């Protein structure tokens, strides 16, 4: 029986947390508490080693340690059935395959694979190279693959149509509602599913055929994203629209990358810490823009629905 795509729903690409100090060691208790806060909110799954989790700032040992710790933490708190999608992209085909095998051995259910990043002066990988790379990885990976184009590159539609026919390639992260529409019309959702990557485009993507999203804003306010998803799934489109409106400023937060999401988490929940060096904190003007976006999220939801926090988070 061929692998199935990730179950529909809202997935959160988790931040990574570091202790203060010159070496910025992993803060595993804060990481585990953050995962459990997301699980308690009702997300469909967790994504590890997504770009928002700073995988390029982690050693191979640390990447394995985080995956093992995530699997154990969720299992210990009766969230063992929550899917783990694990970023396994690397610069070579065989290292990528090796990371996929490691992800399978340590409790992952799916692999999120970015295409290799070529060095300065190299022409971008063409369709033939990308097809060969992904087919080689899919042929050897013990886990099904979710594709992730490396910004600003996008995959051509003919390439995606060929890749989606491989039985071990089951999904795509995309910011394009029109691409969601095209792919969902051509492939059964259980075989190959598009997932939205922008909170401010969540409802349009769902209407266009996305089966959920992998959304960095979920680190800050998963409940708000779940209101959109729940309204859509229950065919309450007006409720979904109301839930989507406060997310209009989400692009300010997600567009600032890991630093924007980490700053928003600090503003809203009072934890988050710093990115690992050499990444510095946002400049003051950018921090103020993120804070205003967080305030807009709060103000538009004031007095409505569930509170933003649920009382569970790292301390």
């Amino acid at each position: 029986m061929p692998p199935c795509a990730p179950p529909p729903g809202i997935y959160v690409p988790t931040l990574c947390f570091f202790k203060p100090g010159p070496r910025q060691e992993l803060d595993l208790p804060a990481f585990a508490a953050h995962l459990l806060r997301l699980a308690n909110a009702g997300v469909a799954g967790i994504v590890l080693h997504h770009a928002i989790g700073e995988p390029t700032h982690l050693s191979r040992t640390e990447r394995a340690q985080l995956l093992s710790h995530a699997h154990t933490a969720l299992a210990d708190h009766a969230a063992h059935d929550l899917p783990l999608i694990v970023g396994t992209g690397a610069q070579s085909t065989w290292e990528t395959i090796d990371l996929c095998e490691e992800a399978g051995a340590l409790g992952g259910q799916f692999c999120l694979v970015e295409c290799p990043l070529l060095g300065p002066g190299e022409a971008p990988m063409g369709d033939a190279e990308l097809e060969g790379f992904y087919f080689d990885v899919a042929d050897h990976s013990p886990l099904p693959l979710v594709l992730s184009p490396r910004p600003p590159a996008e995959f051509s539609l003919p390439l995606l149509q060929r890749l989606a026919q491989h039985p071990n390639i089951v999904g795509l992260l995309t910011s394009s509602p029109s691409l969601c529409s095209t792919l969902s019309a051509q492939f059964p959702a259980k075989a190959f599913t598009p997932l939205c990557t922008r909170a401010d485009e969540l409802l349009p993507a769902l209407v266009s055929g996305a089966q959920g999203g992998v959304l960095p804003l979920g680190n800050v306010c998963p409940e708000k994203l779940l209101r959109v998803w729940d309204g859509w799934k229950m065919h309450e489109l007006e409720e979904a629209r109301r839930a989507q409106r406060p997310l209009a400023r989400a692009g300010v937060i997600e567009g600032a990358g890991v630093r924007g999401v980490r700053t928003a988490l600090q503003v809203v929940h009072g934890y988050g810490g710093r990115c690992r060096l050499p990444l510095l904190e946002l400049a003051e003007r950018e921090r103020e823009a993120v804070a205003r976006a967080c305030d807009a999220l709060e103000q538009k939801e004031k007095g409505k629905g569930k509170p933003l926090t649920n009382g569970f988070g790292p301390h």
Side-chain angles (χ1 to χ4, degrees):
M1 183 176 179
C4 288
I10 301 300
Y11 291 77
V12 179
T14 181
L15 292 166
C16 187
F17 298 90
F18 306 103
K19 296 177 181 178
R23 294 185 61 86
Q24 293 184 287
E25 290 93 348
L26 296 178
D27 190 340
L28 294 177
F31 175 70
H34 183 69
L35 292 186
L36 295 178
R37 177 179 150 257
L38 301 179
N40 288 343
V43 301
I46 302 293
V47 183
L48 294 179
H49 307 328
H50 178 281
I52 211 76
E54 300 180 65
T56 57
H57 296 161
L58 303 175
S59 69
R60 177 73 178 264
T61 300
E62 287 175 323
R63 287 173 66 142
Q65 188 178 11
L66 282 171
L67 175 52
S68 179
H69 199 75
H71 182 68
T72 301
L74 293 172
D76 287 348
H77 288 80
H80 56 275
D81 58 345
L82 203 65
L84 284 172
I85 302 176
V86 185
T88 57
Q91 292 303 93
S92 74
T93 298
W94 292 104
E95 185 182 3
T96 302
I97 292 168
D98 192 39
L99 287 169
C100 291
E101 291 174 343
E102 182 176 80
L106 294 176
Q109 283 81 46
F110 300 90
C111 291
L112 178 66
V113 184
E114 286 188 322
C115 58
L117 180 64
L118 301 182
E122 295 289 338
M125 293 178 70
D127 280 11
E129 290 172 306
L130 288 168
E131 183 175 332
F133 168 73
Y134 278 113
F135 278 175
D136 283 342
V137 175
D139 285 343
H140 293 88
S141 172
L143 300 178
L145 309 187
V146 176
L147 310 180
S148 178
R150 191 184 291 272
E154 290 287 347
F155 299 145
S156 70
L157 181 58
L159 173 63
L160 284 173
Q161 290 168 328
R162 294 193 298 272
L163 293 176
Q165 294 179 51
H166 193 292
N168 208 32
I169 296 177
V170 297
L172 170 74
L173 302 194
T174 179
S175 60
S176 170
S178 63
L179 187 56
C180 290
S181 177
T182 300
L183 293 173
S184 63
Q186 294 183 9
F187 299 99
K190 288 187 177 180
F192 186 84
T193 186
L195 294 165
C196 173
T197 58
R198 289 179 48 179
D200 58 356
E201 291 281 357
L202 177 55
L203 185 56
L206 294 176
V207 171
S208 298
Q211 295 298 303
V214 173
L215 304 168
L217 190 69
N219 284 279
V220 183
C221 49
E223 298 88 351
K224 294 185 184 298
L225 303 173
L226 288 165
R227 286 176 206 156
V228 178
W229 171 254
D230 290 343
W232 168 248
K233 292 304 290 182
M234 295 172 66
H235 305 289
E236 296 177 355
L237 189 55
E238 188 53 43
E239 178 59 33
R241 286 181 179 137
R242 282 195 294 269
Q244 179 69 44
R245 287 186 196 116
L247 303 179
R249 296 287 299 278
V252 174
I253 298 170
E254 292 185 331
V258 57
R259 292 179 292 180
V261 174
R262 196 179 293 276
T263 298
L265 186 63
Q266 187 71 48
V267 168
V268 176
H269 290 287
Y271 74 92
R274 297 187 60 173
C275 298
R276 199 172 235 182
L277 294 172
L279 275 186
L280 301 177
E281 294 183 345
L282 291 177
E284 186 62 30
R285 181 177 295 181
E286 293 171 305
R287 289 182 61 83
E288 290 174 355
V290 168
R292 288 194 297 271
C294 292
D295 186 60
L297 282 170
E298 295 270 20
Q299 291 300 319
K300 288 188 178 184
E301 286 289 298
K302 191 173 182 181
K304 294 182 181 180
K306 301 176 184 176
L308 183 63
T309 58
N310 59 11
F312 199 126
H315 299 287

